[in-house]
Amino acid sequence: MKKTSLGRASIGMLVAGLTAACSSPPESKFAPTAAPLQVKHFADGSVDDGSLCDWRGRKDREVLETAGPGAIIPNARRVFAVVGQGSDRQRILVCREIDTNLDGTKDVVRKYNDKGESLFEDADSNYDGRIDTCLTFSKAHMSEAKFDKDYDGNPDEWDFYTGGHLTRVKRDTNHDGKPDRWEVYTADGRLERIGVDLDNDERVDRWDYDTDLRRVRDEKNRKEDEEAVDKANKEAKSGEYDAADPSNMGNDKSGDGGDKTEEGDKTPQQPGKATPKKKTPATTPPGTTPPATTPPSTTPPPK
């Protein structure tokens, strides 16, 4: 009987535990885990939350602070630049920072230009008090990202973007502060080739290609080259046909009947042959009697 009672009691405790676990609200699974709150203060008594925005002591700045889910004190701050006066006065967001783990210290900050476009974002992803992620934006798109993945204070990965798409990556795999691996990506985000530095001179010694992508690329280039050659040949043949067309020969656009080799001579000169000179009749100088001409004889020859 004792064994039966103990077994029933164990089963009852197990069922109660499962019921309590399943009855907990689902939101609690996704709520941020708050680190121990450590509130620091400046000499004047104001809270030192590791702010990375420039707003303290500035009259041209306005600050708006809010508390997110689970936060005891405000953990998000937006800083506005105040421009203009009177009816022209307006606020422009220039900085935003957040305490993501609710430990009382801001660990993500983003700065904006006067148009409200993102410029930079710095983050402390492991909450050790040092920035390890730096993002740079250009025309509302991320253009570069630097990461310190071993948290030694030096970046070991550099990502480069074009139009918001990843195109190149540099990595420092041996943690000497210099890149030794390069990655090149296609327009659709696929890794195309990898360059490796074998002698630590920051130059690629070997390229490793994705054979499938390289085959597709080479086939595309070959087709483009063939199309270009075919187009050039067709244009060359078309020029030969135009030159051999008799309707295009001897056309004169001057309106005077063609080129003239000599005034009054409309006979075109043939290539390779000199134009014969015209014979002009001899003239008698003035004051002289022209020589007598003998008319042809009309006497029949003797029989």
Side-chain angles (χ1 to χ4, degrees):
M1 293 295 294
K2 293 182 179 180
K3 294 183 179 180
T4 304
S5 300
L6 180 61
R8 290 179 179 177
S10 301
I11 294 174
M13 293 175 64
L14 178 61
V15 171
L18 291 174
T19 303
C22 294
S23 61
S24 60
E27 292 80 4
S28 63
K29 300 179 182 179
F30 302 96
T33 302
L37 183 61
Q38 300 176 357
V39 180
K40 302 177 183 178
H41 295 83
F42 289 107
D44 60 358
S46 59
V47 176
D48 177 12
D49 58 2
S51 176
L52 299 173
C53 292
D54 180 18
W55 59 277
R56 294 184 182 277
R58 298 190 57 170
K59 297 182 179 180
D60 60 342
R61 294 289 187 268
E62 285 190 4
V63 178
L64 178 62
E65 297 189 357
T66 57
I72 300 176
I73 61 175
N75 69 315
R77 176 183 293 122
R78 288 182 290 175
V79 178
F80 299 86
V82 180
V83 296
Q85 295 180 353
S87 60
D88 296 331
R89 185 178 184 273
Q90 58 179 337
R91 301 189 310 173
I92 301 175
L93 179 65
V94 293
C95 189
R96 183 192 66 181
E97 53 186 357
I98 302 175
D99 172 16
T100 60
N101 66 336
L102 308 180
D103 66 347
T105 301
K106 299 295 188 292
D107 41 61
V108 178
V109 59
R110 178 175 291 199
K111 298 183 178 181
Y112 305 83
N113 61 14
D114 56 1
K115 297 180 180 179
E117 299 173 341
S118 299
L119 293 176
F120 308 101
E121 178 175 307
D122 295 335
D124 174 15
S125 63
N126 67 335
Y127 311 115
D128 65 349
R130 296 190 298 181
I131 298 298
D132 51 56
T133 302
C134 301
L135 309 180
T136 303
F137 297 86
S138 176
K139 298 180 179 179
H141 294 291
M142 187 161 57
S143 59
E144 183 179 352
K146 294 188 294 184
F147 303 95
D148 176 15
K149 293 191 172 183
D150 59 356
Y151 309 114
D152 65 349
N154 299 310
D156 45 43
E157 178 179 331
W158 301 260
D159 298 353
F160 300 92
Y161 297 79
T162 301
H165 300 285
L166 180 65
T167 57
R168 295 183 295 118
V169 175
K170 296 192 302 183
R171 302 183 190 276
D172 174 17
T173 61
N174 60 357
H175 308 293
D176 64 350
K178 299 183 296 184
D180 49 52
R181 174 188 169 104
W182 293 262
E183 300 173 4
V184 179
Y185 291 82
T186 61
D188 58 356
R190 297 182 59 183
L191 179 59
E192 179 182 2
R193 64 183 185 269
I194 299 174
V196 181
D197 176 17
L198 302 176
D199 53 6
N200 297 323
D201 63 351
E202 297 186 61
R203 296 181 180 181
V204 176
D205 296 311
R206 186 189 72 236
W207 282 106
D208 298 328
Y209 289 83
D210 184 322
T211 55
D212 293 337
L213 284 177
R214 188 172 187 178
R215 177 178 53 80
V216 173
R217 184 193 62 187
D218 292 344
E219 181 67 17
K220 180 181 178 181
N221 293 338
R222 184 185 63 80
K223 290 182 178 180
E224 291 177 353
D225 292 342
E226 290 179 353
E227 292 175 357
V229 172
D230 292 342
K231 182 179 179 180
N233 291 336
K234 290 180 180 179
E235 291 178 352
K237 289 181 179 180
S238 176
E240 293 177 359
Y241 294 152
D242 291 343
D245 189 353
S247 62
N248 294 331
M249 299 177 64
N251 289 339
D252 180 26
K253 297 182 181 180
S254 62
D256 58 357
D259 296 337
K260 298 180 180 180
T261 58
E262 190 175 342
E263 186 67 24
D265 184 6
K266 296 183 180 181
T267 304
Q269 181 178 354
Q270 296 182 358
K273 294 184 179 181
T275 303
K277 295 182 178 181
K278 290 185 176 182
K279 295 182 179 181
T280 56
T283 57
T284 303
T288 60
T289 303
T293 57
T294 305
S297 177
T298 57
T299 305
K303 296 181 180 179

